[in-house]
Every structure is written in C-alpha cells, then in structure tokens.
C-alpha cells in the first residue's frame, strides 16, 4: 500500500452499497458523454433489435410504450467513480423486446448503439432476466436529453457507460466486439463490484 | 439512420473515433508512482503540479489519467485529471488542478502537497479526446477545461507544426485565466465577469465562433470542447449552429 503523506480523506461512513473506489454523488448527477447532446424528439426515436434473432424488428415510441411497463429502483455506478443511490427509472424491460425478436441460441453478445453513433458491447446474459431496461422516465419525469432522453439503455449492475444514451438499437452477435469506450481502453464487461474499469483490470 | 445500420455486421460509429490513435491498454491498467517535483501557481484557485514519472509510456495531447491518493487506513480516492504537458516531456507530466471547495483530492494538493510527495497514476486514458497534431484544431475551453487543450497548444509549439490551431478560452476574469502568460496569437480569451481595460465582458457567443468559420481551414476543423457540463452544452451548440458537423466535435466534460 502506497500511503500518501498527509492524506486522510473525508470522514467515512461505511456504506455496503458502495462498490470499491466509488463515492456517493448525493443529489448530483454528472453528465459524461463525448458527443454533442442530440435534439431527438420522441416522434423521431426508434429502437431496433436485430442480428442473431428470429424476427428482427424496429419499434417506434408508441409501439415501445405499448409493451408492459417496468421500473428500476436502485443504484447506479459510473466508472469516473461516482455512484448514485436510490434512483428510479421507468421504461420497459429488455426481456419484453427479446420475447418478440427471439434471440437465436448462437447469440452470445450484444452491440448496443445510439442515435449519435456511440456503441458499447455487452454479454447477452447481462441484458436478460429482468436486469436491463429501455428507460424513458427518471424520478417520474421524462428522461432529460443530457441523460439520454428520450430513451436510454439501462444496465444498472454494470458501470454506466454500458447504459448507452439515446439508444437506437441492439445487434445480437456470436462474439464480443468492443464498442466506443472499449476500443479506447475500457473494460469489456465493466462490473463495478470487481472494479473492471480498464482493459486488463 | 437505423436504416443504414440494418445491413453489415456491426453498426458504424458515426462520430469519428480516431482509428489513427493507438492507445496502450496495458499502460492504462497499471498503477505507477508519480513523484511531485514542482508546484507552480497559475491563478488564485489553480496550480500546476509537475511530477517525475519514469515509467510513463507517453501520451497524446488531450488525454487524461486516473490519480489515486491512499490514506493510512487503506482508504483511497481516485479522480481523473487531464494532462497539461506536451508529450515530448520525457519522464515528466504536469497536471493543473482547480482548488474545489471541500474537495478531497484537490484539497490535498492545494493545502498539503509538497515536492517529494508520491501519488499513484494510471494512464494515459481515452484516445477519443486526443489531438495528434495532424488536422486543423479548434479548441474551446472554460476554467480548468483549458488543461487538455493547453497540452495541444504546447505540442504544436514544441513540434513547430504549422497545422492551423485556434483556442477560445473562457475565464471569469484576467486573474482566473489559467496559463495567461503562455498564450499567443492562436488564443482568444473570453472574460465573463471582468476584463482588462478596453476588452468586452460577456459569455462566449456566436460572435466569437463565427470568424473562425468565416476564415477557417479548407477541410474544416476538428473541434475539441472541454469544461463543465453546462459550458460543454453551450459551446457545442454554438459550434453546431456555426456549421460544425456533430461528428467532428469531441467533448470532455468534467462532470
Ligand atoms: C476526464 C476528466 C478530466 C479532468 N481534468 C481535470 C483537470 O485537468 N483539472 C481539474 O482541476 N479537474 C479536472 N477534473 C475534475 C476532477 O476529476 C475532480 O472532479 C476535481 O478535482 C474535484 O475533486 P476533489 O476530490 O477535489 O473534489 P470532491 O471531493 O470530489 O468534491 C467535489 C464536490 O462534491 C462535493 N462532495 C463530493 N463528495 C462529497 C462527500 N462525500 N462529502 C461532502 N461533499 C462531497 C464537494 O464538496 C465538492 O463540492 C477532470 C474530470 C474528468 C472527468
């Protein structure tokens, strides 16, 4: 351990909900995106699931909203080391979309992409079983554009760069293909509890 | 856009990830010791910290690193900092830190740190917000957001590059302008609260940006915007309104 002379840090409250290396951002919700926030109206938003699926399909705003609603209440963790507790997102579970398109048995990974051109990769298993959403509400209100509105991917058990803002689609693949930050040195999976921040962690 | 993506095996990343930039993933995974060698005051709230980093693999202008401080009980605090120095500076890197009110890490730097102290760093990180010096660059920063942009300015000077580069830097007043004594003809400062005699006061607007497009390089600019999120939103909108393509705007937000 390399102790820094004279560094004590803030008084610490033990918080079992805080993954290693993270701090509680409280009411703050920092915005970290590398691209210009798009002006994307709900009427222009579409969401497509294709690749290794039986029935590829694109949903528009109304069609996606016709699927059974589902909410996430819990914590989110950003690789830049802030965490946010007790957030509430509303949207639709990805399972509802997968029920329609029916992933093929050969599908193991997913490349998520945004209306801005951002991409991020995930194992398919991280997106099924009620652990991932398409979210369009935050705290009961429409999701703000700078946080990915009108709709974003939400995969709260992974670092938040996986939760692609302005989500446009998922492509199911039989191999892992690095996305935008992953090509820039970030970890392929990004589990905050294992501090999988950068490639090689 | 979903239409174009329907064919092919993988969606194209529409905004330019510089494939021309190689980022060493191995270097990013390893913590290394950085020894503080010098502290230079820039403004009443910002200072530059120079480190000896013998194991540093080098970086591109615009990249950042992760810095870690460790307390006696094992508690660690990690923060991102942009690299201020040009890459040519073998074995040394410089960071410029704002003193954030109540800030855990910047507070330590501004009140405790002295030459000889050791911290840990890993990086460089993110090749996205990097400028290798190959294409005309339009840089817009506010506050400590000028730090990665200064690395680009210094790189261009150190290498004697003649590729066009312009910097618009926003500060509250002349006292708050980081690196004030180093700017040359490439830089236009914008003062939001108080300005030197004869200079206007007001925030960055279309009038600052327009001349850079009226009289821009033939193939257009690569734009780099850095600062608080509010500033990044404002500046990137001005650029889009001035005609800059969205996929040639790179943004680094300090949260
Ligand atoms: C890519 C990137 C590059 C950056 N580059 C630079 C740079 O070049 N220069 C620079 O100065 N900054 C830079 N930053 C910002 C930097 O990472 C830090 O956020 C900044 O230095 C503040 O850290 P801190 O530990 O001093 O403050 P923190 O302790 O993180 O505090 C920040 C604010 O939150 C409050 N706060 C947070 N946690 C708590 C808590 N537990 N209890 C009470 N209050 C709390 C503080 O009071 C304060 O107002 C960069 C950020 C990013 C993402």
């Amino acid at each position: 351990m390399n102790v820094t002379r004279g560094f004590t840090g803030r008084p610490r409250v033990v918080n079992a909900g805080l993954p290693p290396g993270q701090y509680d951002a409280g009411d703050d919700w920092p915005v970290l995106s590398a691209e210009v926030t798009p002006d994307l109206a709900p009427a222009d938003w579409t969401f497509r699931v294709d690749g290794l699926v039986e029935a590829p399909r694109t949903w528009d705003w109304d069609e996606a909203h016709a699927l059974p609603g589902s909410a996430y209440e819990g914590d989110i963790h950003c690789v830049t080391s802030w965490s946010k507790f007790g957030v509430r997102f509303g949207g639709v579970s990805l399972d509802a979309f997968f029920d329609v398109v029916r992933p093929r048995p050969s599908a193991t990974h997913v490349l998520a992409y945004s209306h801005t051109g951002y991409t991020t990769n995930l194992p398919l298993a991280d997106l099924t079983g009620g652990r991932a959403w398409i979210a369009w509400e935050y705290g009961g209100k429409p999701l703000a554009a700078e946080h990915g509105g009108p709709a974003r991917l939400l995969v709260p058990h992974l670092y938040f760069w996986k939760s692609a803002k302005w989500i446009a689609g998922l492509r199911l693949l039989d191999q892992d293909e690095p996305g935008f930050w992953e090509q820039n040195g970030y970890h392929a999976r990004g589990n905050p509890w294992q501090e999988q921040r950068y490639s090689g962690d | 856009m979903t239409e174009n993506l329907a064919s092919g095996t993988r969606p194209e990343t529409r905004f330019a990830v510089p494939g021309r930039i190689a980022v060493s993933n191995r270097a990013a995974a390893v913590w290394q010791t950085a020894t503080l060698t010098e502290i230079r005051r820039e403004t009443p709230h910002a200072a530059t910290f120079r480190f000896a980093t013998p194991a540093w693999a080098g970086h591109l202008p615009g990249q950042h690193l992760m810095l870690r401080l460790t307390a006696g009980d094992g508690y660690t605090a990690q923060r991102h900092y942009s690299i201020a120095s040009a890459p040519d500076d073998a074995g040394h890197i410089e960071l410029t830190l704002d003193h954030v009110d109540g800030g855990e890490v910047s507070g330590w730097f501004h009140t405790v740190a002295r030459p000889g102290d050791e911290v840990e760093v890993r990086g460089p990180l993110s090749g996205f917000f990097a400028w290798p010096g190959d294409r005309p660059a339009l840089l817009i920063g506010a506050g400590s957001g000028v730090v990665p942009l200064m690395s680009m300015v210094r790189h261009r000077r150190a290498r004697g590059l003649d590729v066009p580069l312009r910097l618009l830097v926003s500060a509250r007043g002349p006292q708050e302008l980081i690196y004030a004594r180093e700017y040359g003809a490439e830089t236009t400062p914008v003062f939001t609260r108080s300005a030197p005699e004869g200079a206007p006061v007001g925030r960055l607007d279309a009038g600052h940006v327009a001349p850079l497009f009226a009289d821009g390089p033939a193939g257009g600019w690569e734009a780099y915007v850095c600062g608080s999120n509010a500033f990044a939103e404002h500046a990137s909108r001005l650029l889009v309104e001035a005609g800059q393509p969205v996929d040639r705007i790179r943004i680094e937000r300090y949260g």
Side-chain angles (χ1 to χ4, degrees):
Chain A
M1 187 170 71
N2 283 299
V3 176
T4 315
R5 182 192 63 83
F7 177 70
T8 50
R10 279 205 181 84
R12 292 177 288 283
V13 270
V14 178
N15 186 337
L18 209 54
Q22 297 293 110
Y23 72 94
D24 179 0
D27 291 337
D28 287 349
W29 187 2
V31 174
L32 295 152
S33 37
E35 69 265 53
V36 178
T37 302
D39 280 321
L40 186 62
D44 299 326
W45 179 82
T46 54
F47 176 63
R48 180 170 176 86
V49 185
D50 63 13
L52 297 171
V53 298
E54 298 299 339
R57 135 139 224 205
T58 304
W59 284 262
D60 68 17
W61 185 254
D62 292 337
E63 290 165 345
H65 279 68
L67 293 168
S70 165
Y72 169 72
E73 272 190 71
D75 310 334
I76 55 176
H77 311 288
C78 176
V79 69
T80 63
S81 70
W82 55 265
S83 292
K84 204 166 161 52
F85 293 111
V87 298
R88 187 171 199 282
F89 285 94
V92 171
S93 167
L94 274 191
D95 294 321
F97 296 95
F98 289 140
D99 284 348
V100 176
V101 300
R102 301 191 310 278
R104 297 213 179 119
S106 56
T108 55
H109 288 82
V110 173
L111 196 70
Y113 55 93
S114 295
H115 284 276
T116 56
Y118 176 83
T119 56
T120 188
N121 55 306
L122 303 107
L124 178 58
D126 276 314
L127 296 182
T128 56
R131 295 198 298 164
W133 290 259
I134 296 298
W136 41 64
E137 268 178 27
Y138 176 77
K141 298 205 184 81
L143 183 63
E146 61 178 12
H147 292 300
R152 74 181 298 158
L153 181 61
L154 175 68
V155 193
H157 68 283
L158 299 179
Y159 282 128
F160 222 46
W161 90 80
K162 295 288 179 180
S163 296
K165 297 177 183 181
W166 314 295
I167 187 76
L170 304 178
R171 180 153 298 163
L172 277 67
L173 307 168
D174 59 6
Q175 57 179 22
D176 198 8
E177 292 201 22
F180 174 70
W181 286 120
E182 295 81 10
Q183 289 169 36
N184 278 289
Y186 283 69
H187 197 275
R189 178 145 186 267
N191 178 344
W193 296 96
Q194 292 169 13
E195 276 208 270
Q196 294 172 339
R197 297 176 191 274
Y198 304 106
S199 152
D201 277 353
Chain B
M1 176 177 142
T2 359
E3 289 311 301
N4 329 337
L5 293 171
S7 58
T9 60
R10 83 191 299 282
E12 284 303 311
T13 292
R14 200 160 54 112
F15 60 113
V17 179
R20 60 209 155 97
I21 293 174
V23 187
S24 164
N25 295 346
R26 208 151 22 103
V30 180
W31 287 105
Q32 53 183 281
T33 301
T35 308
L36 189 57
T37 59
E38 189 191 328
I39 302 174
R40 289 199 312 268
R41 182 134 301 281
E42 300 284 355
T43 72
H45 294 111
T48 293
F49 299 85
R50 183 175 173 85
F51 298 90
T53 44
W56 189 248
H59 63 275
L60 289 161
Q63 285 190 289
H64 61 262
L65 53 67
M66 180 76 110
L67 183 142
R68 174 166 84 180
L69 304 183
T70 305
D73 63 358
Y75 169 83
T76 60
Q78 301 186 20
R79 301 289 184 272
H80 284 119
Y81 291 103
S82 296
I83 301 159
S85 43
D88 308 68
D89 207 358
H92 281 88
I93 52 171
E94 293 185 359
L95 309 178
T96 300
L97 271 68
D98 254 337
H99 192 173
V100 173
D101 260 354
E104 194 172 42
V105 172
S106 67
W108 179 84
F109 271 99
H110 280 270
T111 61
V112 179
R114 62 176 189 231
D117 282 341
E118 291 179 352
V119 301
E120 287 171 294
V121 296
R122 67 194 295 197
L125 304 171
S126 180
F128 177 67
F129 196 83
W131 183 69
D134 54 350
R135 299 195 194 154
L138 174 52
L139 318 177
I140 306 188
S144 61
V146 73
V147 174
L149 310 179
M150 194 60 196
S151 177
M152 301 175 188
V153 172
R154 288 170 168 161
H155 176 62
R156 180 167 174 275
R157 282 191 198 153
R159 289 283 171 87
L161 304 175
D162 55 13
V163 55
L165 176 145
R166 295 298 309 272
L167 170 64
L168 286 175
V169 54
S170 175
R172 288 178 186 192
Q175 294 299 316
E176 299 295 327
L177 185 63
I178 298 175
Y179 313 129
R181 60 187 177 273
E182 284 185 62
Y183 298 127
E186 80 287 306
T187 300
T188 309
V190 178
F191 297 110
T192 57
R193 304 264 177 87
S194 66
E197 271 291 306
V201 175
R203 74 177 193 155
L204 179 77
D205 63 24
H208 296 106
V209 175
L212 301 170
F213 285 89
D215 162 32
W221 299 103
E222 297 297 315
Y224 294 78
V225 174
C226 187
S228 66
N229 179 53
F231 178 81
E233 284 291 307
H234 174 66
S236 60
R237 268 169 215 282
L238 287 178
L239 285 172
V240 172
E241 283 157 19
Q244 178 70 10
V246 287
D247 55 1
R248 292 176 68 186
I249 302 176
R250 295 149 202 274
I251 305 180
E252 187 100 283
R253 303 170 199 251
Y254 283 179

